[in-house]
Amino acid sequence: MASGVLRLVLGDQLSRGLSSLSDLDPDQDVVLLVEVEAEATYVRHHKKKIAFLFSAMRHFAAALREEGIAVDYVALDDPENSGSFRGELQRALARHAPARIVVTEPGEWRVREDMLQWEETFGLPVELREDSRFFCRTSDFADWAEGRKSLRMEYFYREMRRRTGFLMDAGGAPEGGRWNFDQDNRKTLPDEIAPPDVLQVKPDAVTREVLDLVEARFDDHFGDLHPFWFAVTAEEAERVFEDFVQERLPQFGDYQDALALGEATLFHSVISLYLNAGLLDPQAVCARVERAWREEDAPLNAVEGFIRQVLGWREFVRGLYWLKMPGYRQSNFFEGQRGLPAFYWTGETEMLCMAEAIGQTKTNAYAHHIQRLMVTGNFALLAGVAPGAVNEWYLVVYADAYEWVELPNVTGMALFADGGLLASKPYAASGKYIDRMSNYCKRCRYDVKQQVGDKACPFNYLYWDFIARNGERFGTNPRMALILKSFHRMQPAKVEAMRRQAEAFLENLETVEEGQWRGR
Ligand code: FAD
Ligand code: DLZ
Ligand code: SF4
């Protein structure tokens, strides 16, 4: 193969239109996919995430082969498997003797750093190509960010709407006369509305084989492997997405911020794992959703809300990640030092909202945005957990987690650890918020109306303790002024009682230090 190209495709690059495959010559080139222990265990990912990726990789390889493309696929149980990208490249070079290597840039800093050494290590040209599956190049984001005092998603999003034309009218104004219908997206779920289930895909023979492999090799990882219902091909993922568009999109907007007992997915799309692995294309997804509005199958608040997540938030967090790494990982504005409460790994807590979010995460490798942000994220913020430990948890437990998207959401959005680069104020909230948006509190052992005492909801005293501890850090942030005003009006004795109860609660928490879920 001396003049051929070895094209490495990573587990989250399963898109036929990938830049590294664009000029593939089927007569000379080989596509390499490798299942490696190092990627499955650099954090010990949820079992479902590993099974999803391995099965999707195997199906992607089979589809390329059907096109007549030579694919070299190294399975995890290959006795010669070296366990790492480097080791597998070394072995593949010996098998194929290519003239050069082509790869699309990865989604994580640590992998990119490694790739930048490959040319020297392997002694042949390594071409690292831009990942064209995003709307905004990392360099365009850097240009947009240049010179701005603060980076606000809303302005970035407007710019992206203008650039792409999504939901823009002929005169260049936003459809419906507004950029943002967020105010219309805050309903709670009435008892009589039952959200339709997400379409589940039955595992085929390839997936069943992978499930056995994961069971045998990653039994000590977090989460339930069964039942396994994820799509593992682009066609299946498209069916799952189309089912969302028909069955849940019309109400996606209204209930976007809702929480409800026993409802793990509500009206959410549950497609982040497919978008992030490359089985769905963000452009096609946004275009389909816009068409649903133009054909009057879904209202504007739902369609705009959805497009804002994919075109706005998803692109914004990626831009921020590449702009601020590697330092971003060290951000710790509130100087959180605590280990992660052990119940994050078991779900065993009397706080019903937390038990629901963690239990569903364990079962599904999924929780919706408000659970991630206002329940588990909010608790970690109020409890002063070290950002490293929180990030580790989020990277382990979700099937859609890759550092480019996980880190800004955790460090920037949930923890405000970047001091306000991503968010204009901390998303800190007492039990009152959870009570307003859910039906949890009526069934909880704690009383959300109480601020101190044995029955008091821990979110309440932890919240006011957080405000007390960090009041000075909020400085002149106008968005915190009202809260500080209410705090200063509180009876000192009550503040002191809440402070003491928070301290006792936190002292009694069994915690797990960062690193326990890294490697083997
Ligand atoms: P929907 O609610 O149906 O939204 C549609 C799509 O919009 C999602 O599939 C996703 O691709 C995109 N999206 C929505 N919000 C965001 C966001 N804040 N950032 C990026 N994309 C967004 N998302 C991940 O993909 N991977 C992660 O590791 C991840 N970690 C998170 C950690 C925290 C603390 C928080 C607060 C959010 C995190 N998110 C993450 C964002 C968001 O919660 C998930 O994308 C969403 O819950 C996925 O479910 P869905 O597909 O049903 O989304
Ligand atoms: C997450 C993951 C896992 C579990 N396993 C593999 C693998 O065996 N082979 C592979 O190519 N990719 C895997 N991935 C995805 C990578 O971790 C991901 O490509 C990098 O983190 C860069 O985003
Ligand atoms: Fe969560 Fe507090 Fe409500 Fe219980 S009372 S569900 S702990 S917010």
Side-chain angles (χ1 to χ4, degrees):
M1 185 186 163
S3 58
V5 180
L6 185 65
R7 297 172 187 271
L8 175 67
V9 173
L10 306 183
D12 54 353
Q13 298 184 339
L14 308 178
S15 316
R16 186 59 187 88
L18 195 71
S19 58
S20 62
L21 299 178
S22 63
D23 50 351
L24 182 142
D25 177 351
D27 294 331
Q28 303 208 48
D29 300 350
V30 172
V31 175
L32 176 69
L33 288 109
V34 296
E35 294 172 6
V36 288
E37 168 104 5
E39 290 307 302
T41 61
Y42 76 93
V43 292
R44 281 186 275 146
H45 300 286
H46 195 298
K47 295 186 195 88
K48 271 199 169 79
K49 177 181 183 181
I50 302 176
F52 160 63
L53 274 191
F54 284 7
S55 180
M57 287 168 70
R58 290 178 186 202
H59 282 92
F60 187 73
L64 291 180
R65 280 190 183 124
E66 267 182 34
E67 275 188 56
I69 296 166
V71 179
D72 186 356
Y73 193 96
V74 182
L76 190 85
D77 49 2
D78 179 334
E80 308 287 311
N81 192 324
S82 64
S84 70
F85 285 145
R86 266 173 182 256
E88 283 316 297
L89 266 175
Q90 193 79 65
R91 292 198 320 119
L93 294 181
R95 284 196 296 275
H96 305 294
R100 60 198 178 97
I101 296 171
V102 169
V103 61
T104 293
E105 62 190 3
E108 299 198 346
W109 178 270
R110 73 186 166 88
V111 181
R112 190 168 194 278
E113 285 297 281
D114 193 39
M115 281 183 178
L116 293 175
Q117 311 297 319
W118 287 358
E119 204 158 277
E120 202 182 319
T121 309
F122 301 127
L124 85 173
V126 176
E127 190 188 338
L128 203 58
R129 290 192 181 162
E130 174 120 25
D131 191 341
S132 54
R133 297 174 300 169
F134 291 88
F135 290 103
C136 183
R137 293 160 173 249
T138 50
S139 55
D140 288 346
F141 186 87
D143 289 345
W144 174 82
E146 175 89 42
R148 284 173 194 263
K149 265 211 229 121
S150 63
L151 304 177
R152 288 292 160 258
M153 198 292 288
E154 184 60 30
Y155 299 112
F156 170 77
Y157 168 58
R158 291 179 190 181
E159 180 67 30
M160 294 303 291
R161 290 266 298 273
R162 285 193 199 95
R163 261 196 235 171
T164 58
F166 281 122
L167 294 181
M168 300 300 285
D169 69 17
E175 291 288 7
R178 267 156 62 194
W179 291 103
N180 186 319
F181 292 81
D182 217 11
Q183 298 298 333
D184 304 340
N185 293 356
R186 293 181 186 153
K187 288 194 184 152
T188 51
L189 189 73
D191 285 345
E192 64 278 11
I193 293 191
D197 289 338
V198 172
L199 189 74
Q200 307 211 336
V201 179
K202 198 167 167 238
D204 65 2
V206 174
T207 300
R208 288 199 300 273
E209 198 171 307
V210 167
L211 290 171
D212 290 344
L213 177 71
V214 171
E215 196 141 41
R217 291 286 290 270
F218 304 108
D219 195 37
D220 58 341
H221 284 219
F222 176 82
D224 304 341
L225 187 55
H226 300 283
F228 186 88
W229 45 268
F230 292 155
V232 291
T233 65
E235 293 71 28
E236 288 172 358
E238 273 153 28
R239 265 202 289 130
V240 170
F241 172 62
E242 187 56 32
D243 178 71
F244 159 72
V245 172
Q246 312 245 346
E247 302 294 330
R248 300 194 303 287
L249 175 65
Q251 280 151 305
F252 172 84
D254 288 353
Y255 303 116
Q256 203 176 337
D257 285 359
L259 295 151
L261 199 65
E263 296 293 345
T265 50
L266 288 164
F267 289 94
H268 293 274
S269 64
V270 195
I271 61 160
S272 47
L273 75 167
Y274 308 130
L275 284 170
N276 297 352
L279 301 188
L280 287 178
D281 170 28
Q283 165 76 37
V285 156
C286 289
R288 174 68 187 96
V289 165
E290 179 174 20
R291 182 157 66 84
W293 174 67
R294 295 205 182 275
E295 292 175 356
E296 298 184 9
D297 290 333
L300 192 53
N301 75 318
V303 168
E304 187 283 318
F306 183 88
I307 289 181
R308 181 165 9 112
Q309 306 312 317
V310 177
L311 179 66
W313 278 113
R314 187 168 184 269
E315 297 286 325
F316 181 75
V317 298
R318 175 175 183 258
L320 191 68
Y321 175 79
W322 287 108
L323 188 69
K324 294 295 169 186
M325 281 298 280
Y328 200 63
R329 206 190 278 139
Q330 269 68 54
S331 315
N332 192 357
F333 180 72
F334 291 122
E335 298 178 34
Q337 305 295 339
R338 197 175 303 283
L340 192 77
F343 62 68
Y344 273 73
W345 298 109
T346 62
E348 287 165 17
T349 163
E350 291 184 304
M351 288 178 278
L352 187 54
C353 52
M354 292 288 281
E356 278 274 296
I358 297 165
Q360 288 165 357
T361 297
K362 215 162 157 248
T363 311
N364 301 322
Y366 175 87
H368 63 74
H369 187 67
I370 296 301
Q371 291 176 305
R372 298 189 203 198
L373 181 63
M374 300 310 295
V375 181
T376 46
N378 182 27
F379 185 90
L381 167 70
L382 301 183
V385 181
V390 187
N391 275 294
E392 184 172 277
W393 186 78
Y394 278 95
L395 202 51
V396 166
V397 303
Y398 292 116
D400 58 22
Y402 301 90
E403 200 183 60
W404 67 266
V405 53
E406 174 277 329
L407 181 65
N409 270 300
V410 172
T411 277
M413 198 184 297
L415 300 181
F416 200 80
D418 63 7
L421 207 55
L422 180 141
S424 56
K425 77 174 193 49
Y427 282 93
S430 67
K432 202 168 166 182
Y433 173 88
I434 296 174
D435 190 31
R436 191 167 63 239
M437 298 311 297
S438 80
N439 57 358
Y440 294 150
C441 301
K442 320 193 237 306
R443 320 252 171 96
C444 183
R445 164 245 190 272
Y446 294 107
D447 181 349
V448 73
K449 301 262 172 340
Q450 294 190 31
Q451 291 177 320
V452 278
D454 175 51
K455 287 204 65 139
C457 165
F459 277 90
N460 290 342
Y461 48 78
L462 289 176
Y463 174 74
W464 289 111
D465 178 55
F466 170 81
I467 301 293
R469 280 187 284 118
N470 294 297
E472 280 183 13
R473 284 202 176 87
F474 303 137
T476 52
N477 184 333
R479 301 204 58 199
M480 295 305 288
L482 257 180
I483 289 159
L484 283 171
K485 218 167 145 192
S486 318
F487 173 70
H488 291 306
R489 275 203 306 260
M490 278 179 157
Q491 300 277 347
K494 188 169 179 188
V495 171
E496 180 55 19
M498 287 197 285
R499 198 194 58 74
R500 266 192 273 115
Q501 190 160 355
E503 204 173 272
F505 178 89
L506 293 173
E507 253 169 36
N508 280 329
L509 271 185
E510 189 196 333
T511 58
V512 180
E513 293 308 311
E514 185 188 349
Q516 302 291 311
W517 287 81
R518 279 185 194 264
R520 278 233 154 120

